[in-house]
């Protein structure tokens, strides 16, 4: 039986011992599934705009992005869930023509009883002691000072008379989603407005012009990033992400094969969210919809991306429902979507979440924005995120087998008589390996119906190019248990 040496020459006569190694049967390696956090820096950030760089931790994010920057706070939110996986940044500078969002808190009457004024900025509680001896102007001065002394807030504050003007550190529409509110926890949580104190809030607004993503995304080259945090939901930005990941020329194309998925979030009413959702149709992007949460949408995106990454790395096919999303504050009870509304969102490309009695937020159903095929007909083939991640896992596993075992082999037609151990494969040899690989994936709970796969698998030499193998891989991906319907057909004695 010939041994398929690739290096030791057959004509060597010098004694004695020679050895070469062959790893074609030993590869069990797995890809490192990286995350990419896209976010803006402040002037204090040391990052180079549009140049991706690996993260060294939350403290590093404050250096690269600047304290309180989008990049810094997104990283902190992401790491609350995923404190192990490899994370990279794509730092962005504010667009030169961008405008910063601003809002105001105005004290209109001083308190008649001492107490505490609880202001939430982007979900962070600012507890300001207020005294009956203070005027409204003094209250404003004290609040502005407290805001500026609070570390890692995404805003700066300035007081004039009785008005505190709050301005986003990063320019652009990201600042519009910085929420300002008082007493989020309410009296149940020990937060009540001191007697006599009155105020008005003008929400953050006026932020305009997101950074252009074109250069930054092109600088990613073919570096694999499975979990991409997208802080923007404007059409231009989402179209750039869609182009990055698309099936024809992007990361999911036959020629690139690095895959990946984008995670974004959007604040809005049911009407606004459904209008937005039906306007998107991208299987490689998910958008979590919410309303009236104190947490900005870009922190929501980072938080649920980190929570998803931990589960999807462990098993891409296990459903994400009930996975906790740390680092975000739930909308008040009256602002949460009911069952019917959430079901509507899930038919319009918007993902949903659930809230426990203690306020813990978790993923309910994480879907893509894909809803229709190229003819405009309803299509649920790419509905679930787990489908895409399972498919990527399977394709990578198949590529690993092919590139490991068949990197340097000779190809013969079925029925060719060659000695055992010869460095030759036939379509049937490859077919057997693919069936064995499928059985392995089936044992891992990633695919199903192995007998049907074996029956329908086609492996053949290309009719025009005898050096090419063509394969029809008829795999059936595993499903997820999402609905448990029970008819309680009870009896009375």
């Amino acid at each position: 039986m010939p041994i398929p040496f690739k290096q030791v020459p057959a004509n060597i006569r010098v004694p004695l011992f020679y050895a070469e190694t062959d790893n074609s049967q030993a590869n069990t390696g797995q890809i490192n599934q990286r995350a990419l956090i896209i976010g803006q820096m402040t002037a204090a950030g040391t990052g180079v705009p549009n140049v991706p760089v690996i993260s060294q931790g939350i403290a590093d994010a404050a250096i690269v992005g600047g304290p309180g920057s989008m990049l810094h706070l997104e990283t902190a939110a992401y790491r609350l869930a995923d404190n192990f996986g490899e994370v990279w940044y794509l730092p962005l500078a504010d667009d030169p023509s961008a405008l910063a969002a601003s809002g105001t808190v105005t004290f209109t009457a001083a308190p008649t009883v001492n107490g505490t004024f609880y202001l939430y900025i982007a979900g962070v509680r600012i507890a300001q002691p207020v005294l009956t001896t203070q005027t409204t102007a003094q209250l404003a001065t004290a609040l502005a000072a407290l805001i500026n002394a609070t570390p890692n807030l995404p805003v700066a504050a300035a007081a004039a008379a009785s008005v505190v003007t709050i301005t986003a550190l990063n320019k652009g529409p990201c600042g519009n989603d910085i929420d300002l509110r008082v007493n989020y926890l309410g009296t149940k949580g020990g937060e009540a407005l001191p007697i006599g104190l009155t105020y008005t809030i003008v929400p953050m607004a006026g932020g305009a012009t997101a950074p252009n993503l074109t250069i930054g995304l092109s600088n990613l080259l073919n570096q694999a990033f499975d979990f991409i945090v997208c802080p923007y939901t404007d059409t231009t930005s989402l179209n750039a992400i869609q182009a990055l990941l698309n099936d024809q020329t992007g990361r999911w194309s036959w020629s690139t094969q690095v895959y990946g998925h984008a995670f974004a979030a959007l604040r809005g009413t049911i009407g606004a969210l459904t209008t937005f959702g039906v306007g998107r149709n991208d299987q490689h992007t998910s958008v979590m919809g919410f309303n009236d949460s104190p947490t900005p949408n870009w922190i929501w995106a980072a938080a649920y991306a980190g929570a998803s990454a931990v589960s999807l790395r462990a098993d891409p096919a296990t459903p994400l429902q009930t996975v906790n999303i740390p680092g975000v504050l739930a909308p008040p009870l009256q602002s949460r979507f009911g069952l019917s509304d959430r079901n509507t969102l899930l038919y319009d490309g918007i993902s949903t979440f659930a809230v426990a009695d203690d306020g813990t937020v978790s993923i309910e159903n994480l879907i893509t924005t894909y809803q229709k095929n190229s003819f405009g007909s309803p299509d649920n083939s790419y509905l679930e995120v787990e489908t895409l991640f399972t498919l990527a896992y399977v394709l990578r596993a198949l590529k690993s087998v092919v590139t490991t075992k068949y990197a340097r082999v000779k190809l013969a037609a079925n029925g060719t008589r060659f000695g055992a151990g010869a460095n030759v494969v036939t379509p049937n040899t490859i077919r057997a390996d693919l069936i064995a690989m499928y059985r392995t994936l089936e044992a891992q709970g990633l695919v199903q119906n192995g007998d049907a796969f074996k029956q329908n698998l086609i492996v053949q030499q290309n009719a025009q190019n005898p050096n090419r193998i063509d394969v029809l891989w008829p795999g059936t991906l595993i499903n997820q248990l999402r609905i448990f319907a029970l008819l309680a057909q009870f009896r009375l004695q």
Side-chain angles (χ1 to χ4, degrees), residues 426-438:
T426 67
N428 281 345
T429 306
I430 296 174
R431 186 176 189 276
D433 280 340
L434 293 178
I435 292 171
M437 183 62 190
Y438 194 87

Side-chain angles (χ1 to χ4, degrees), residues 46-63:
T46 62
V48 179
N50 300 311
V51 176
V53 60
I54 193 169
S55 169
Q56 305 295 326
I58 298 175
D60 171 68
I63 296 172

Side-chain angles (χ1 to χ4, degrees), residues 114-325:
N114 295 340
T116 305
F117 181 67
Y118 296 102
L119 174 67
Y120 285 76
I121 300 178
V124 177
R125 189 173 81 160
I126 309 296
Q128 178 193 2
V130 295
L131 305 174
T132 58
T133 56
Q134 291 176 297
T135 65
T136 55
Q138 289 172 329
L139 290 172
T141 299
L143 179 59
L146 185 56
I147 290 172
N148 291 330
T150 302
N152 304 326
L153 283 180
V155 298
S162 302
V163 180
V164 179
T165 300
I166 299 171
T167 304
L169 297 183
N170 282 120
K171 296 179 180 180
C174 58
N176 298 333
D177 216 71
I178 295 174
D179 182 83
L180 306 177
R181 73 178 64 196
V182 173
N183 296 340
Y184 166 73
L185 294 179
T187 54
K188 183 179 178 180
E191 297 177 352
L193 196 66
I195 296 174
L197 180 66
T198 60
Y199 68 94
T200 59
I201 288 181
V202 175
M204 300 287 287
T209 312
N212 190 304
L213 297 179
T214 303
I215 296 175
L217 295 182
S218 66
N219 285 341
L220 300 178
L221 301 178
N222 284 340
Q223 176 85 298
F225 295 104
D226 279 20
F227 314 101
I228 300 174
V229 177
C230 178
Y232 310 111
T233 52
D234 62 281
T235 300
T236 299
S237 297
L238 288 179
N239 285 350
I241 294 292
Q242 186 170 9
L244 174 76
L245 296 171
N246 79 69
D247 294 349
Q248 287 73 44
T249 58
R251 292 180 158 238
W252 276 81
S253 69
W254 66 270
S255 59
T256 306
Q257 302 175 55
V258 294
Y259 312 115
H261 194 81
F263 299 78
L266 181 65
R267 180 191 306 270
T269 63
I270 284 292
L273 290 173
T274 55
T275 299
F276 174 89
V278 297
R280 304 300 307 175
N281 198 50
D282 179 9
Q283 65 267 36
H284 303 306
T285 297
S286 293
V287 178
M288 181 68 74
F290 68 95
N291 190 38
D292 200 25
S293 166
T295 306
N297 64 334
W298 32 277
I299 291 182
W300 268 86
Y304 89 87
S308 301
V310 174
S311 177
L312 292 168
R313 283 197 196 97
D315 185 340
T318 295
L320 289 166
Q321 60 212 32
T322 75
V323 170
N324 286 346
I325 309 175

Side-chain angles (χ1 to χ4, degrees), residues 18 51 59 66 73 88 102 105 151 212 252 263 320 373 400 406 453 488:
Y18 302 93
V51 176
L73 300 184
W88 285 59
S102 64
V105 177
N212 190 304
W252 276 81
F263 299 78
L320 289 166
N373 63 20
S400 178
Y406 306 135
F453 173 82

Side-chain angles (χ1 to χ4, degrees), residues 349-437:
I350 302 296
S351 301
T352 60
F353 62 92
V355 182
D357 289 344
D358 65 354
T360 300
V361 178
S362 61
I363 295 171
E364 182 176 57
N365 197 358
L366 186 57
I367 64 171
T368 75
T369 65
Y370 183 82
Q371 300 153 75
K372 296 181 179 181
N373 63 20
S374 58
F375 294 97
S377 299
D379 185 350
N380 66 355
S381 56
Y382 288 130
L383 174 67
E384 305 293 350
V385 166
E386 296 87 350
T387 299
L388 277 302
F389 278 92
T390 303
L391 187 58
Y393 183 99
V394 169
L395 293 175
R396 285 166 171 165
L398 292 171
K399 181 177 181 179
S400 178
V401 169
V402 172
T403 57
T404 300
K405 297 190 69 173
Y406 306 135
R408 295 184 63 202
V409 295
K410 294 170 280 186
L411 176 62
N414 290 330
T416 302
R417 300 169 65 89
F418 53 87
N423 188 31
V424 178
V425 296
T426 67
N428 281 345
T429 306
I430 296 174
R431 186 176 189 276
D433 280 340
L434 293 178
I435 292 171
M437 183 62 190

